[in-house]
Amino acid sequence: MRWMGTIGGLAVVAVLTAGCNESGDGGDAAGDVPPPTGTSATASGSDPAAADLPMFCDLVTADELTAAVGAAVSTSTGPFDACEFDQEDPRALSGSLGATDVQAGGGYETYQSGTTAALDDPARHDLDGIGDAAYVDIGTIAGGENLQVAGGALVGHVVYTLNLAQGVGLSEDELVATSEKLLRLMVEAAR
């Protein structure tokens, strides 16, 4: 699927950016905020400093994603335990839901700069009332015609990551509305 390559690219940029300052000076795994409930994996396998992260394919159903997206989707677990979803039409909106601990990787601002770097001239949309802070960046990739999304919701020291790709000309407003529904769904599911 051509669009999932875009999703994977955004996810890899975000994860790598979040971990680019892993000097060990970020404190202990729990920090001041306990990890979200409903978790089943650690950020890097055997790394004892990594917090338990939510596995969204275990927490969110395809029906819940269908309601948020407004079209039937199927799900699968992808790289970095991200929950990937797509539609029958490979040009239709697809995406991934994941989580990354940003405590030792430069923090939330570093994560945000990584998602911004993945997009051409992105527009930032801060979203109120979702986790501790939430945003989406919307722009094209490599001069493409269709808008794509990279963003997340901060909960403690974990960012619930969201990446969306599409090739059907969805507007910026449509993508912001869908992103907000998906981020709210993720925060609720991980409680």
Side-chain angles (χ1 to χ4, degrees):
M1 295 188 4
R2 196 169 98 209
W3 298 110
M4 291 314 289
T6 302
I7 296 286
L10 285 172
V12 168
V13 167
V15 169
L16 292 176
T17 302
C20 67
N21 184 23
E22 295 194 25
S23 63
D25 58 8
D28 65 356
D32 296 325
V33 180
T37 59
T39 59
S40 61
T42 60
S44 61
S46 62
D47 181 0
D52 287 334
L53 300 175
M55 304 273 295
F56 285 106
C57 276
D58 294 342
L59 300 173
V60 177
T61 67
D63 288 341
E64 291 171 316
L65 289 170
T66 293
V69 171
V73 301
S74 58
T75 63
S76 63
T77 300
F80 306 107
D81 296 323
C83 184
E84 295 180 349
F85 67 88
D86 59 6
Q87 298 180 49
E88 190 172 313
D89 180 349
R91 298 169 300 150
L93 188 66
S94 61
S96 68
L97 315 175
T100 188
D101 185 331
V102 294
Q103 184 175 12
Y108 186 55
E109 293 77 19
T110 300
Y111 178 82
Q112 289 177 314
S113 69
T115 62
T116 300
L119 299 167
D120 299 331
D121 197 26
R124 169 67 49 94
H125 298 269
D126 292 314
L127 305 172
D128 294 328
I130 304 173
D132 300 328
Y135 79 101
V136 291
D137 287 331
I138 299 178
T140 59
I141 295 178
E145 296 177 15
N146 292 291
L147 296 173
Q148 315 302 327
V149 175
L154 181 65
V155 176
H157 52 82
V158 175
V159 175
Y160 298 168
T161 63
L162 174 66
N163 295 292
L164 301 176
Q166 54 99 19
V168 292
L170 293 175
S171 72
E172 188 169 338
D173 289 341
E174 291 171 305
L175 291 170
V176 170
T178 300
S179 297
E180 185 170 358
K181 290 176 191 174
L182 290 168
L183 288 169
R184 286 187 191 285
L185 176 63
M186 293 168 71
V187 170
E188 286 298 315
R191 286 188 180 177

